[in-house]
């Protein structure tokens, strides 16, 4: 392990804020004047959700879920379970799931299937970062902030070993260096 992590900014606070505002505008335009339920996936999405919610003028209810996925070498195996369920009644409501990053797709596919059991009117997905090339299972993402293909990303909710979530920017962690603990994931 390096003694000090190198952080290389790939998305500035301004770039993130501008894009989040655009995403909020798109969502509002798709559901004009209609109430929505935002469901954030903990922990990574909490900062994105806070900003996105403030850029959607609709009446909003907000809830959170937490999921655990089991795997090795930093990559999900596809076995996902809910460790904190939703608390709101979403039946008959329009739901937007808010996710920081989509990687293999296992988390979102599982959550979408579970949410459908609650019979919402609709379920859409909004993610800040899409790593499409790493997808293992197909999942439709309706709103994408940024397509990013390479590098382990931290900041704006994304962590490495629980650190860096509070960075206002998104950075590559240790570009050019791939510690074996998370090299295969390369999130
Ligand atoms: C990350 C991210 C997504 C999930 C995506 O969460 O926030 O929820 O992985 O991966 P997938 O598409 O391969 O399923 P993580 O497990 O790192 O938890 P955290 O949000 O608490 O950091």
């Amino acid at each position: 392990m390096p003694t000090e992590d190198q952080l290389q900014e790939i998305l500035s606070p301004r770039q993130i804020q501008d894009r989040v505002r655009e995403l909020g505008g798109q969502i509002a335009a798709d559901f004009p004047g209609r109430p929505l339920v935002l469901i954030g996936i903990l922990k990574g999405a909490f900062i994105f959700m806070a900003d996105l919610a403030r850029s959607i003028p609709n009446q909003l209810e907000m809830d959170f879920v937490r999921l655990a996925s089991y795997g090795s070498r930093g990559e999900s195996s596809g076995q996902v379970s809910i460790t904190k369920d939703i608390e709101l009644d979403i039946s008959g409501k329009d739901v937007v799931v808010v996710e920081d990053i989509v990687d293999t797709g296992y988390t979102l596919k599982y959550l979408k299937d579970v949410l459908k059991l609650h019979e919402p009117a609709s379920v859409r997905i909004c993610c800040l970062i899409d790593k499409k090339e790493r997808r293992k299972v197909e999942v439709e993402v309706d709103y994408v902030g940024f397509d990013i293909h390479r590098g382990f990303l931290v900041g704006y909710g994304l962590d490495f070993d629980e650190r860096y979530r509070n960075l206002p920017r998104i950075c590559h962690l240790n570009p050019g260096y791939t510690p074996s603990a998370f090299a295969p994931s390369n999130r």
Side-chain angles (χ1 to χ4, degrees):
M1 287 290 281
T3 51
E4 206 174 306
D5 286 330
Q6 302 290 312
L7 296 172
Q8 180 186 68
E9 178 178 290
I10 58 161
L11 292 172
S12 69
R14 183 58 189 266
Q15 284 174 298
I16 297 169
Q17 294 308 322
D18 287 351
R19 189 69 187 118
V20 170
R21 221 168 287 128
E22 286 174 3
L23 290 173
Q26 262 180 274
I27 292 170
D30 287 350
F31 296 92
R34 282 156 61 186
L36 293 170
V37 182
L38 297 191
I39 299 181
I41 304 182
L42 294 169
K43 300 178 190 173
F46 81 106
I47 289 179
F48 175 40
M49 173 120 152
D51 285 340
L52 184 69
R54 283 177 286 182
S55 68
I56 300 174
N58 305 45
Q59 179 187 306
L60 294 181
E61 291 181 277
M62 284 174 254
D63 206 345
F64 293 91
V65 286
R66 183 143 168 74
L67 298 132
S69 62
Y70 303 94
S72 59
R73 298 185 305 169
E75 182 167 283
S76 172
S77 66
Q79 273 184 279
V80 184
S81 66
I82 289 194
T83 58
K84 185 225 165 293
D85 208 342
I86 53 168
E87 292 161 33
L88 292 175
D89 175 7
I90 61 167
S91 69
K93 297 178 184 174
D94 292 309
V95 170
V96 178
V97 174
V98 181
E99 175 64 299
D100 52 340
I101 189 164
V102 188
D103 189 29
T104 63
Y106 288 133
T107 301
L108 275 178
K109 181 169 178 10
Y110 175 82
L111 180 62
K112 215 172 173 181
D113 290 345
V114 168
L115 291 179
K116 279 184 182 156
L117 300 175
H118 294 265
E119 303 185 332
S122 66
V123 178
R124 294 207 183 177
I125 293 174
C126 176
C127 80
L128 184 67
I129 291 166
D130 194 358
K131 286 207 140 181
K132 240 183 243 141
E133 86 287 359
R134 291 189 35 88
R135 207 70 99 246
K136 291 279 173 62
V137 62
E138 210 173 304
V139 58
E140 195 181 334
V141 183
D142 305 278
Y143 308 98
V144 176
F146 302 95
D147 281 302
I148 294 177
H149 304 287
R150 304 187 54 222
F152 191 94
L153 306 178
V154 296
Y156 199 69
L158 297 165
D159 75 308
F160 172 57
D161 209 10
E162 293 301 328
R163 287 178 290 141
Y164 303 120
R165 292 193 200 272
N166 57 317
L167 293 178
R169 54 188 48 81
I170 291 177
C171 299
H172 276 165
L173 177 68
N174 298 324
Y177 178 84
T178 50
S180 57
F182 60 87
S185 165
N186 197 28
R187 190 186 72 194

